[in-house]
Amino acid sequence: GKVEGVTEVPKNEKVEMIRELCEKFEVRIVISSSWRLWTLDSTLKDFEKYKDLKTLIPYIVGITPRQCYKEQGKVRGDEIDWFLKYRNYPPIEPYNSYYDFEYFMKRKHSELNYCILDDDSDMLENQMSNFINTYDNYGLTKADINKIKQILKI
């Protein structure tokens, strides 16, 4: 997925819908799109370059690892699955982390509700009830925001 597919023009309106959702309902973001770099820190630094996207930085708590190797039959859903399984384990190399370990440790015993927004549909079958397919030419819509709220039970 691409951030463009989720936050298509006018970008600031789409980003604002996501920021508002995060602020009002304590929603947090894990990036699995091609916009993620190799670590959470490097991804956050990269987001600093974009006027609109930098407003989301306080709400970004992780990125999925890059494991999508088509020749191995891996899809983006596998990366999301990995993240969901290992988010409560301390990173092997804290400086090279995919997620904010402290954030997830504070919520270790809480139920995790998640929603996947993507303009690609390469998710695992067990993730489809948590998946909203956005489209490049429309991006995130108000109807998508309502679906997010339903999925997250907020």
Side-chain angles (χ1 to χ4, degrees):
K2 305 173 197 97
V3 172
E4 302 92 54
V6 174
T7 60
E8 200 56 55
V9 178
K11 285 192 190 311
N12 57 357
E13 177 188 313
K14 308 298 184 174
V15 171
E16 184 56 25
M17 286 195 298
I18 295 171
R19 192 198 61 72
E20 198 173 282
L21 191 69
C22 291
E23 193 170 287
K24 281 186 182 175
F25 299 102
E26 296 186 30
V27 170
R28 294 300 174 258
I29 300 167
V30 174
I31 298 173
S32 67
S33 76
S34 55
W35 280 58
R36 74 195 187 285
L37 298 179
W38 294 101
T39 67
L40 176 59
D41 286 343
S42 61
T43 300
L44 294 176
K45 282 185 181 96
D46 193 52
F47 269 54
E48 288 279 345
K49 295 187 233 171
Y50 303 95
K51 180 183 158 212
D52 296 328
L53 293 179
K54 75 195 276 184
T55 64
L56 297 178
I57 289 174
Y59 309 105
I60 299 171
V61 296
I63 63 169
T64 59
R66 290 181 175 272
Q67 299 173 334
C68 253
Y69 306 115
K70 290 191 194 308
E71 67 275 3
Q72 294 175 2
K74 296 251 184 201
V75 294
R76 192 175 312 271
D78 290 307
E79 296 172 342
I80 294 168
D81 190 53
W82 182 96
F83 187 90
L84 293 171
K85 283 180 185 167
Y86 294 106
R87 72 187 186 283
N88 289 328
Y89 291 92
I92 294 169
E93 300 168 330
Y95 60 87
N96 195 21
S97 181
Y98 296 119
Y99 49 92
D100 180 345
F101 178 65
E102 306 255 330
Y103 172 83
F104 287 103
M105 280 310 293
K106 287 178 190 167
R107 290 151 187 84
K108 187 174 185 170
H109 301 292
S110 306
E111 181 186 350
L112 177 72
N113 291 328
Y114 71 95
C115 179
I116 303 166
L117 297 174
D118 207 316
D119 57 352
D120 288 326
S121 59
D122 55 345
M123 304 305 147
L124 302 179
E125 194 170 320
N126 68 329
Q127 297 167 338
M128 294 311 281
S129 61
N130 297 73
F131 172 65
I132 298 171
N133 196 322
T134 60
Y135 299 95
D136 268 344
N137 48 342
Y138 299 114
L140 188 70
T141 66
K142 289 183 179 159
D144 293 332
I145 293 291
N146 290 331
K147 287 181 201 169
I148 294 168
K149 289 177 180 178
Q150 278 183 314
I151 291 170
L152 298 179
K153 301 173 186 146
I154 54 177

PDB file of all heavy atoms in Angstrom, residues 117-148:
ATOM      1  N   LEU A 117      -5.676  -0.208   6.680  1.00  0.00           N
ATOM      2  CA  LEU A 117      -6.067   0.627   5.540  1.00  0.00           C
ATOM      3  C   LEU A 117      -5.027   0.416   4.468  1.00  0.00           C
ATOM      4  O   LEU A 117      -3.841   0.603   4.721  1.00  0.00           O
ATOM      5  CB  LEU A 117      -6.042   2.114   5.909  1.00  0.00           C
ATOM      6  CG  LEU A 117      -6.984   2.607   6.974  1.00  0.00           C
ATOM      7  CD1 LEU A 117      -6.687   4.076   7.271  1.00  0.00           C
ATOM      8  CD2 LEU A 117      -8.414   2.455   6.515  1.00  0.00           C
ATOM      9  N   ASP A 118      -5.446   0.044   3.291  1.00  0.00           N
ATOM     10  CA  ASP A 118      -4.465  -0.162   2.233  1.00  0.00           C
ATOM     11  C   ASP A 118      -5.145  -0.092   0.879  1.00  0.00           C
ATOM     12  O   ASP A 118      -6.330  -0.421   0.768  1.00  0.00           O
ATOM     13  CB  ASP A 118      -3.772  -1.514   2.397  1.00  0.00           C
ATOM     14  CG  ASP A 118      -2.369  -1.523   1.804  1.00  0.00           C
ATOM     15  OD1 ASP A 118      -2.189  -0.994   0.688  1.00  0.00           O
ATOM     16  OD2 ASP A 118      -1.463  -2.065   2.453  1.00  0.00           O
ATOM     17  N   ASP A 119      -4.385   0.323  -0.130  1.00  0.00           N
ATOM     18  CA  ASP A 119      -4.929   0.341  -1.488  1.00  0.00           C
ATOM     19  C   ASP A 119      -4.587  -0.954  -2.215  1.00  0.00           C
ATOM     20  O   ASP A 119      -4.968  -1.145  -3.354  1.00  0.00           O
ATOM     21  CB  ASP A 119      -4.465   1.574  -2.267  1.00  0.00           C
ATOM     22  CG  ASP A 119      -2.956   1.690  -2.352  1.00  0.00           C
ATOM     23  OD1 ASP A 119      -2.255   0.908  -1.688  1.00  0.00           O
ATOM     24  OD2 ASP A 119      -2.481   2.574  -3.077  1.00  0.00           O
ATOM     25  N   ASP A 120      -3.877  -1.870  -1.554  1.00  0.00           N
ATOM     26  CA  ASP A 120      -3.644  -3.219  -2.058  1.00  0.00           C
ATOM     27  C   ASP A 120      -4.415  -4.162  -1.143  1.00  0.00           C
ATOM     28  O   ASP A 120      -4.664  -3.839   0.017  1.00  0.00           O
ATOM     29  CB  ASP A 120      -2.151  -3.586  -2.003  1.00  0.00           C
ATOM     30  CG  ASP A 120      -1.344  -2.855  -3.051  1.00  0.00           C
ATOM     31  OD1 ASP A 120      -1.877  -2.619  -4.152  1.00  0.00           O
ATOM     32  OD2 ASP A 120      -0.182  -2.512  -2.771  1.00  0.00           O
ATOM     33  N   SER A 121      -4.753  -5.333  -1.636  1.00  0.00           N
ATOM     34  CA  SER A 121      -5.540  -6.252  -0.805  1.00  0.00           C
ATOM     35  C   SER A 121      -4.790  -7.536  -0.487  1.00  0.00           C
ATOM     36  O   SER A 121      -5.392  -8.579  -0.287  1.00  0.00           O
ATOM     37  CB  SER A 121      -6.873  -6.564  -1.480  1.00  0.00           C
ATOM     38  OG  SER A 121      -6.640  -7.134  -2.748  1.00  0.00           O
ATOM     39  N   ASP A 122      -3.462  -7.458  -0.397  1.00  0.00           N
ATOM     40  CA  ASP A 122      -2.668  -8.654  -0.140  1.00  0.00           C
ATOM     41  C   ASP A 122      -2.554  -8.954   1.361  1.00  0.00           C
ATOM     42  O   ASP A 122      -1.486  -9.010   1.938  1.00  0.00           O
ATOM     43  CB  ASP A 122      -1.292  -8.570  -0.807  1.00  0.00           C
ATOM     44  CG  ASP A 122      -0.487  -7.343  -0.425  1.00  0.00           C
ATOM     45  OD1 ASP A 122      -1.075  -6.392   0.131  1.00  0.00           O
ATOM     46  OD2 ASP A 122       0.729  -7.339  -0.679  1.00  0.00           O
ATOM     47  N   MET A 123      -3.728  -9.154   1.970  1.00  0.00           N
ATOM     48  CA  MET A 123      -3.809  -9.464   3.390  1.00  0.00           C
ATOM     49  C   MET A 123      -4.102 -10.950   3.571  1.00  0.00           C
ATOM     50  O   MET A 123      -4.526 -11.627   2.636  1.00  0.00           O
ATOM     51  CB  MET A 123      -4.932  -8.650   4.053  1.00  0.00           C
ATOM     52  CG  MET A 123      -4.820  -7.148   3.882  1.00  0.00           C
ATOM     53  SD  MET A 123      -3.238  -6.506   4.437  1.00  0.00           S
ATOM     54  CE  MET A 123      -3.004  -5.164   3.285  1.00  0.00           C
ATOM     55  N   LEU A 124      -3.902 -11.429   4.782  1.00  0.00           N
ATOM     56  CA  LEU A 124      -4.225 -12.815   5.094  1.00  0.00           C
ATOM     57  C   LEU A 124      -5.735 -12.934   5.289  1.00  0.00           C
ATOM     58  O   LEU A 124      -6.397 -11.962   5.673  1.00  0.00           O
ATOM     59  CB  LEU A 124      -3.481 -13.265   6.351  1.00  0.00           C
ATOM     60  CG  LEU A 124      -1.956 -13.159   6.298  1.00  0.00           C
ATOM     61  CD1 LEU A 124      -1.344 -13.626   7.615  1.00  0.00           C
ATOM     62  CD2 LEU A 124      -1.390 -13.954   5.128  1.00  0.00           C
ATOM     63  N   GLU A 125      -6.251 -14.104   5.076  1.00  0.00           N
ATOM     64  CA  GLU A 125      -7.706 -14.307   5.168  1.00  0.00           C
ATOM     65  C   GLU A 125      -8.250 -13.907   6.541  1.00  0.00           C
ATOM     66  O   GLU A 125      -9.303 -13.287   6.639  1.00  0.00           O
ATOM     67  CB  GLU A 125      -8.038 -15.773   4.871  1.00  0.00           C
ATOM     68  CG  GLU A 125      -9.509 -15.982   4.606  1.00  0.00           C
ATOM     69  CD  GLU A 125      -9.811 -17.365   4.080  1.00  0.00           C
ATOM     70  OE1 GLU A 125      -9.027 -17.887   3.256  1.00  0.00           O
ATOM     71  OE2 GLU A 125     -10.834 -17.910   4.502  1.00  0.00           O
ATOM     72  N   ASN A 126      -7.510 -14.220   7.607  1.00  0.00           N
ATOM     73  CA  ASN A 126      -7.983 -13.888   8.959  1.00  0.00           C
ATOM     74  C   ASN A 126      -7.904 -12.392   9.272  1.00  0.00           C
ATOM     75  O   ASN A 126      -8.368 -11.962  10.320  1.00  0.00           O
ATOM     76  CB  ASN A 126      -7.220 -14.701  10.017  1.00  0.00           C
ATOM     77  CG  ASN A 126      -5.757 -14.314  10.122  1.00  0.00           C
ATOM     78  OD1 ASN A 126      -5.139 -13.903   9.138  1.00  0.00           O
ATOM     79  ND2 ASN A 126      -5.197 -14.464  11.295  1.00  0.00           N
ATOM     80  N   GLN A 127      -7.340 -11.592   8.374  1.00  0.00           N
ATOM     81  CA  GLN A 127      -7.249 -10.137   8.578  1.00  0.00           C
ATOM     82  C   GLN A 127      -8.343  -9.383   7.818  1.00  0.00           C
ATOM     83  O   GLN A 127      -8.517  -8.188   8.034  1.00  0.00           O
ATOM     84  CB  GLN A 127      -5.878  -9.631   8.109  1.00  0.00           C
ATOM     85  CG  GLN A 127      -4.728 -10.199   8.895  1.00  0.00           C
ATOM     86  CD  GLN A 127      -3.390  -9.938   8.234  1.00  0.00           C
ATOM     87  OE1 GLN A 127      -3.288  -9.705   7.032  1.00  0.00           O
ATOM     88  NE2 GLN A 127      -2.328 -10.008   9.028  1.00  0.00           N
ATOM     89  N   MET A 128      -9.061 -10.048   6.956  1.00  0.00           N
ATOM     90  CA  MET A 128      -9.991  -9.354   6.056  1.00  0.00           C
ATOM     91  C   MET A 128     -11.110  -8.614   6.800  1.00  0.00           C
ATOM     92  O   MET A 128     -11.573  -7.579   6.330  1.00  0.00           O
ATOM     93  CB  MET A 128     -10.567 -10.317   5.023  1.00  0.00           C
ATOM     94  CG  MET A 128      -9.516 -10.863   4.044  1.00  0.00           C
ATOM     95  SD  MET A 128      -8.442  -9.613   3.282  1.00  0.00           S
ATOM     96  CE  MET A 128      -9.527  -8.986   2.019  1.00  0.00           C
ATOM     97  N   SER A 129     -11.525  -9.102   7.962  1.00  0.00           N
ATOM     98  CA  SER A 129     -12.579  -8.389   8.702  1.00  0.00           C
ATOM     99  C   SER A 129     -12.043  -7.112   9.346  1.00  0.00           C
ATOM    100  O   SER A 129     -12.823  -6.275   9.809  1.00  0.00           O
ATOM    101  CB  SER A 129     -13.205  -9.301   9.754  1.00  0.00           C
ATOM    102  OG  SER A 129     -12.238  -9.724  10.690  1.00  0.00           O
ATOM    103  N   ASN A 130     -10.721  -6.947   9.357  1.00  0.00           N
ATOM    104  CA  ASN A 130     -10.092  -5.738   9.899  1.00  0.00           C
ATOM    105  C   ASN A 130      -9.535  -4.845   8.785  1.00  0.00           C
ATOM    106  O   ASN A 130      -8.840  -3.882   9.056  1.00  0.00           O
ATOM    107  CB  ASN A 130      -8.937  -6.114  10.832  1.00  0.00           C
ATOM    108  CG  ASN A 130      -9.398  -6.877  12.034  1.00  0.00           C
ATOM    109  OD1 ASN A 130      -9.756  -8.043  11.932  1.00  0.00           O
ATOM    110  ND2 ASN A 130      -9.437  -6.232  13.171  1.00  0.00           N
ATOM    111  N   PHE A 131      -9.853  -5.174   7.556  1.00  0.00           N
ATOM    112  CA  PHE A 131      -9.248  -4.518   6.392  1.00  0.00           C
ATOM    113  C   PHE A 131     -10.239  -3.604   5.677  1.00  0.00           C
ATOM    114  O   PHE A 131     -11.390  -3.962   5.453  1.00  0.00           O
ATOM    115  CB  PHE A 131      -8.766  -5.605   5.422  1.00  0.00           C
ATOM    116  CG  PHE A 131      -8.285  -5.071   4.101  1.00  0.00           C
ATOM    117  CD1 PHE A 131      -7.171  -4.261   4.020  1.00  0.00           C
ATOM    118  CD2 PHE A 131      -8.957  -5.391   2.934  1.00  0.00           C
ATOM    119  CE1 PHE A 131      -6.723  -3.774   2.807  1.00  0.00           C
ATOM    120  CE2 PHE A 131      -8.523  -4.914   1.713  1.00  0.00           C
ATOM    121  CZ  PHE A 131      -7.399  -4.095   1.644  1.00  0.00           C
ATOM    122  N   ILE A 132      -9.771  -2.405   5.345  1.00  0.00           N
ATOM    123  CA  ILE A 132     -10.524  -1.456   4.518  1.00  0.00           C
ATOM    124  C   ILE A 132      -9.673  -1.153   3.294  1.00  0.00           C
ATOM    125  O   ILE A 132      -8.548  -0.668   3.419  1.00  0.00           O
ATOM    126  CB  ILE A 132     -10.843  -0.151   5.271  1.00  0.00           C
ATOM    127  CG1 ILE A 132     -11.720  -0.443   6.493  1.00  0.00           C
ATOM    128  CG2 ILE A 132     -11.517   0.856   4.343  1.00  0.00           C
ATOM    129  CD1 ILE A 132     -11.913   0.752   7.404  1.00  0.00           C
ATOM    130  N   ASN A 133     -10.219  -1.449   2.134  1.00  0.00           N
ATOM    131  CA  ASN A 133      -9.496  -1.204   0.889  1.00  0.00           C
ATOM    132  C   ASN A 133      -9.773   0.226   0.434  1.00  0.00           C
ATOM    133  O   ASN A 133     -10.899   0.569   0.106  1.00  0.00           O
ATOM    134  CB  ASN A 133      -9.968  -2.209  -0.170  1.00  0.00           C
ATOM    135  CG  ASN A 133      -9.024  -2.290  -1.337  1.00  0.00           C
ATOM    136  OD1 ASN A 133      -8.478  -1.295  -1.768  1.00  0.00           O
ATOM    137  ND2 ASN A 133      -8.842  -3.477  -1.856  1.00  0.00           N
ATOM    138  N   THR A 134      -8.728   1.045   0.431  1.00  0.00           N
ATOM    139  CA  THR A 134      -8.843   2.410  -0.083  1.00  0.00           C
ATOM    140  C   THR A 134      -8.444   2.376  -1.555  1.00  0.00           C
ATOM    141  O   THR A 134      -7.842   1.415  -2.009  1.00  0.00           O
ATOM    142  CB  THR A 134      -7.926   3.377   0.695  1.00  0.00           C
ATOM    143  OG1 THR A 134      -6.585   2.932   0.561  1.00  0.00           O
ATOM    144  CG2 THR A 134      -8.305   3.436   2.166  1.00  0.00           C
ATOM    145  N   TYR A 135      -8.765   3.402  -2.271  1.00  0.00           N
ATOM    146  CA  TYR A 135      -8.473   3.419  -3.703  1.00  0.00           C
ATOM    147  C   TYR A 135      -7.653   4.655  -4.041  1.00  0.00           C
ATOM    148  O   TYR A 135      -7.928   5.746  -3.542  1.00  0.00           O
ATOM    149  CB  TYR A 135      -9.775   3.392  -4.509  1.00  0.00           C
ATOM    150  CG  TYR A 135     -10.563   2.140  -4.210  1.00  0.00           C
ATOM    151  CD1 TYR A 135     -11.560   2.139  -3.247  1.00  0.00           C
ATOM    152  CD2 TYR A 135     -10.258   0.944  -4.847  1.00  0.00           C
ATOM    153  CE1 TYR A 135     -12.257   0.984  -2.936  1.00  0.00           C
ATOM    154  CE2 TYR A 135     -10.940  -0.224  -4.542  1.00  0.00           C
ATOM    155  CZ  TYR A 135     -11.949  -0.195  -3.591  1.00  0.00           C
ATOM    156  OH  TYR A 135     -12.618  -1.348  -3.288  1.00  0.00           O
ATOM    157  N   ASP A 136      -6.635   4.458  -4.911  1.00  0.00           N
ATOM    158  CA  ASP A 136      -5.734   5.543  -5.290  1.00  0.00           C
ATOM    159  C   ASP A 136      -6.452   6.815  -5.695  1.00  0.00           C
ATOM    160  O   ASP A 136      -6.076   7.903  -5.294  1.00  0.00           O
ATOM    161  CB  ASP A 136      -4.822   5.104  -6.450  1.00  0.00           C
ATOM    162  CG  ASP A 136      -3.506   4.520  -5.950  1.00  0.00           C
ATOM    163  OD1 ASP A 136      -3.171   4.732  -4.777  1.00  0.00           O
ATOM    164  OD2 ASP A 136      -2.835   3.866  -6.758  1.00  0.00           O
ATOM    165  N   ASN A 137      -7.497   6.685  -6.513  1.00  0.00           N
ATOM    166  CA  ASN A 137      -8.129   7.901  -7.038  1.00  0.00           C
ATOM    167  C   ASN A 137      -9.037   8.591  -6.029  1.00  0.00           C
ATOM    168  O   ASN A 137      -9.366   9.756  -6.202  1.00  0.00           O
ATOM    169  CB  ASN A 137      -8.883   7.604  -8.342  1.00  0.00           C
ATOM    170  CG  ASN A 137      -9.775   6.392  -8.241  1.00  0.00           C
ATOM    171  OD1 ASN A 137      -9.601   5.574  -7.349  1.00  0.00           O
ATOM    172  ND2 ASN A 137     -10.710   6.274  -9.154  1.00  0.00           N
ATOM    173  N   TYR A 138      -9.441   7.896  -4.954  1.00  0.00           N
ATOM    174  CA  TYR A 138     -10.289   8.535  -3.939  1.00  0.00           C
ATOM    175  C   TYR A 138      -9.546   8.772  -2.633  1.00  0.00           C
ATOM    176  O   TYR A 138      -9.796   9.732  -1.934  1.00  0.00           O
ATOM    177  CB  TYR A 138     -11.525   7.678  -3.623  1.00  0.00           C
ATOM    178  CG  TYR A 138     -12.417   7.444  -4.803  1.00  0.00           C
ATOM    179  CD1 TYR A 138     -12.570   6.165  -5.317  1.00  0.00           C
ATOM    180  CD2 TYR A 138     -13.098   8.487  -5.416  1.00  0.00           C
ATOM    181  CE1 TYR A 138     -13.383   5.929  -6.408  1.00  0.00           C
ATOM    182  CE2 TYR A 138     -13.912   8.262  -6.511  1.00  0.00           C
ATOM    183  CZ  TYR A 138     -14.050   6.984  -6.999  1.00  0.00           C
ATOM    184  OH  TYR A 138     -14.849   6.750  -8.076  1.00  0.00           O
ATOM    185  N   GLY A 139      -8.700   7.838  -2.272  1.00  0.00           N
ATOM    186  CA  GLY A 139      -8.039   7.928  -0.984  1.00  0.00           C
ATOM    187  C   GLY A 139      -9.030   7.647   0.132  1.00  0.00           C
ATOM    188  O   GLY A 139     -10.106   7.091  -0.092  1.00  0.00           O
ATOM    189  N   LEU A 140      -8.680   8.032   1.321  1.00  0.00           N
ATOM    190  CA  LEU A 140      -9.516   7.828   2.492  1.00  0.00           C
ATOM    191  C   LEU A 140     -10.775   8.679   2.382  1.00  0.00           C
ATOM    192  O   LEU A 140     -10.722   9.847   2.027  1.00  0.00           O
ATOM    193  CB  LEU A 140      -8.714   8.224   3.740  1.00  0.00           C
ATOM    194  CG  LEU A 140      -9.344   7.910   5.077  1.00  0.00           C
ATOM    195  CD1 LEU A 140      -9.355   6.410   5.308  1.00  0.00           C
ATOM    196  CD2 LEU A 140      -8.573   8.600   6.176  1.00  0.00           C
ATOM    197  N   THR A 141     -11.915   8.079   2.712  1.00  0.00           N
ATOM    198  CA  THR A 141     -13.188   8.803   2.655  1.00  0.00           C
ATOM    199  C   THR A 141     -13.815   8.851   4.049  1.00  0.00           C
ATOM    200  O   THR A 141     -13.387   8.136   4.965  1.00  0.00           O
ATOM    201  CB  THR A 141     -14.182   8.100   1.706  1.00  0.00           C
ATOM    202  OG1 THR A 141     -14.510   6.823   2.269  1.00  0.00           O
ATOM    203  CG2 THR A 141     -13.590   7.941   0.307  1.00  0.00           C
ATOM    204  N   LYS A 142     -14.850   9.662   4.187  1.00  0.00           N
ATOM    205  CA  LYS A 142     -15.575   9.721   5.463  1.00  0.00           C
ATOM    206  C   LYS A 142     -16.239   8.377   5.754  1.00  0.00           C
ATOM    207  O   LYS A 142     -16.333   7.963   6.905  1.00  0.00           O
ATOM    208  CB  LYS A 142     -16.583  10.859   5.445  1.00  0.00           C
ATOM    209  CG  LYS A 142     -15.872  12.198   5.500  1.00  0.00           C
ATOM    210  CD  LYS A 142     -16.815  13.376   5.548  1.00  0.00           C
ATOM    211  CE  LYS A 142     -15.935  14.618   5.618  1.00  0.00           C
ATOM    212  NZ  LYS A 142     -16.576  15.808   5.218  1.00  0.00           N
ATOM    213  N   ALA A 143     -16.683   7.684   4.707  1.00  0.00           N
ATOM    214  CA  ALA A 143     -17.265   6.349   4.892  1.00  0.00           C
ATOM    215  C   ALA A 143     -16.208   5.395   5.457  1.00  0.00           C
ATOM    216  O   ALA A 143     -16.524   4.550   6.307  1.00  0.00           O
ATOM    217  CB  ALA A 143     -17.820   5.823   3.569  1.00  0.00           C
ATOM    218  N   ASP A 144     -14.951   5.538   4.995  1.00  0.00           N
ATOM    219  CA  ASP A 144     -13.862   4.711   5.529  1.00  0.00           C
ATOM    220  C   ASP A 144     -13.656   5.008   7.016  1.00  0.00           C
ATOM    221  O   ASP A 144     -13.426   4.084   7.812  1.00  0.00           O
ATOM    222  CB  ASP A 144     -12.552   4.962   4.774  1.00  0.00           C
ATOM    223  CG  ASP A 144     -12.595   4.484   3.335  1.00  0.00           C
ATOM    224  OD1 ASP A 144     -13.351   3.534   3.028  1.00  0.00           O
ATOM    225  OD2 ASP A 144     -11.859   5.074   2.511  1.00  0.00           O
ATOM    226  N   ILE A 145     -13.723   6.256   7.392  1.00  0.00           N
ATOM    227  CA  ILE A 145     -13.566   6.639   8.805  1.00  0.00           C
ATOM    228  C   ILE A 145     -14.649   5.956   9.644  1.00  0.00           C
ATOM    229  O   ILE A 145     -14.375   5.429  10.723  1.00  0.00           O
ATOM    230  CB  ILE A 145     -13.609   8.173   8.985  1.00  0.00           C
ATOM    231  CG1 ILE A 145     -12.386   8.830   8.328  1.00  0.00           C
ATOM    232  CG2 ILE A 145     -13.719   8.552  10.470  1.00  0.00           C
ATOM    233  CD1 ILE A 145     -11.054   8.568   9.001  1.00  0.00           C
ATOM    234  N   ASN A 146     -15.869   5.930   9.130  1.00  0.00           N
ATOM    235  CA  ASN A 146     -16.953   5.251   9.853  1.00  0.00           C
ATOM    236  C   ASN A 146     -16.693   3.753   9.969  1.00  0.00           C
ATOM    237  O   ASN A 146     -16.961   3.151  11.009  1.00  0.00           O
ATOM    238  CB  ASN A 146     -18.301   5.521   9.179  1.00  0.00           C
ATOM    239  CG  ASN A 146     -18.725   6.965   9.372  1.00  0.00           C
ATOM    240  OD1 ASN A 146     -18.380   7.602  10.359  1.00  0.00           O
ATOM    241  ND2 ASN A 146     -19.465   7.493   8.420  1.00  0.00           N
ATOM    242  N   LYS A 147     -16.142   3.149   8.911  1.00  0.00           N
ATOM    243  CA  LYS A 147     -15.797   1.718   8.966  1.00  0.00           C
ATOM    244  C   LYS A 147     -14.684   1.473   9.990  1.00  0.00           C
ATOM    245  O   LYS A 147     -14.710   0.476  10.711  1.00  0.00           O
ATOM    246  CB  LYS A 147     -15.335   1.224   7.590  1.00  0.00           C
ATOM    247  CG  LYS A 147     -16.447   1.092   6.580  1.00  0.00           C
ATOM    248  CD  LYS A 147     -15.852   0.564   5.274  1.00  0.00           C
ATOM    249  CE  LYS A 147     -16.735   0.866   4.094  1.00  0.00           C
ATOM    250  NZ  LYS A 147     -16.076   0.606   2.809  1.00  0.00           N
ATOM    251  N   ILE A 148     -13.707   2.381  10.031  1.00  0.00           N
ATOM    252  CA  ILE A 148     -12.618   2.275  11.019  1.00  0.00           C
ATOM    253  C   ILE A 148     -13.212   2.259  12.421  1.00  0.00           C
ATOM    254  O   ILE A 148     -12.860   1.420  13.256  1.00  0.00           O
ATOM    255  CB  ILE A 148     -11.603   3.435  10.886  1.00  0.00           C
ATOM    256  CG1 ILE A 148     -10.854   3.347   9.562  1.00  0.00           C
ATOM    257  CG2 ILE A 148     -10.632   3.452  12.062  1.00  0.00           C
ATOM    258  CD1 ILE A 148     -10.056   4.594   9.223  1.00  0.00           C
TER     259      ILE A 148
END
